[in-house]
Amino acid sequence: MFAERLKAALEAAGYETRPSVLEREFNLRYWGKPITFQAVRRWLRGDSIPSQDKLQVLARWLSVDPHRLRYGDTTHYAIGESPANWEVESTREERQLLALYRELPVAQRKVVRDIIETFAKAYPPTDCQE
């Protein structure tokens, strides 16, 4: 059933439900090791389900609840908590950088992504302590 929910989320977001489309668009948003065409095809056929980090990227990208994407509609099991807010307001500078990034050719996007990933590994976030 995961495959059907993924296909429905792709269609609702205006994307074709083809492995090549999913592979390209996912890898533009995922900061880890790029996924393969075969892995995406297994997702769309229902042969496998992505790991939690990849599921989070899919959910954010397609604007769906990650729990619902993985497990389906489980409202009859809900405890009554309100769903988490996955939206984070972007600054003007972030929107400008994203617009510039999207105008780059795919090869240059990967270079920028690798640079940012290197910085993120070299300078991990620290807890605010006084």
Side-chain angles (χ1 to χ4, degrees):
M1 294 304 295
F2 169 78
E4 297 309 313
R5 290 187 296 273
L6 178 58
K7 289 175 190 176
L10 282 164
E11 288 174 358
Y15 293 94
E16 295 179 78
T17 58
R18 294 186 5 221
S20 59
V21 172
L22 179 54
E23 176 194 20
R24 180 188 67 235
E25 295 298 326
F26 179 86
N27 284 330
L28 288 174
R29 293 162 175 84
Y30 183 61
W31 295 100
K33 182 180 176 186
I35 59 168
T36 64
F37 179 86
Q38 290 79 13
V40 171
R41 194 173 69 206
R42 286 192 297 270
W43 294 353
L44 290 172
R45 284 194 321 220
D47 295 339
S48 67
I49 295 177
S51 60
Q52 190 62 25
D53 63 326
K54 292 176 178 71
L55 189 79
Q56 293 291 332
V57 171
L58 285 170
R60 239 179 276 122
W61 163 40
L62 299 171
S63 300
V64 297
D65 177 69
H67 186 81
R68 182 165 287 158
L69 182 59
R70 171 161 265 170
Y71 300 108
D73 187 15
T74 58
T75 53
H76 55 286
Y77 299 114
I79 301 173
E81 294 180 23
S82 37
N85 182 6
W86 297 99
E87 296 297 317
V88 175
E89 190 64 35
S90 299
T91 66
R92 182 174 180 257
E93 180 183 28
E94 290 169 333
R95 289 189 302 273
Q96 288 174 333
L97 286 172
L98 183 58
L100 291 171
Y101 173 81
R102 287 179 174 165
E103 292 176 6
L104 293 172
V106 172
Q108 280 68 36
R109 286 186 191 185
K110 295 225 181 239
V111 170
V112 171
R113 188 179 96 187
D114 290 343
I115 291 170
I116 292 172
E117 188 176 41
T118 300
F119 273 109
K121 288 178 182 174
Y123 302 100
T126 58
D127 293 334
C128 294
Q129 298 179 0
E130 293 186 40

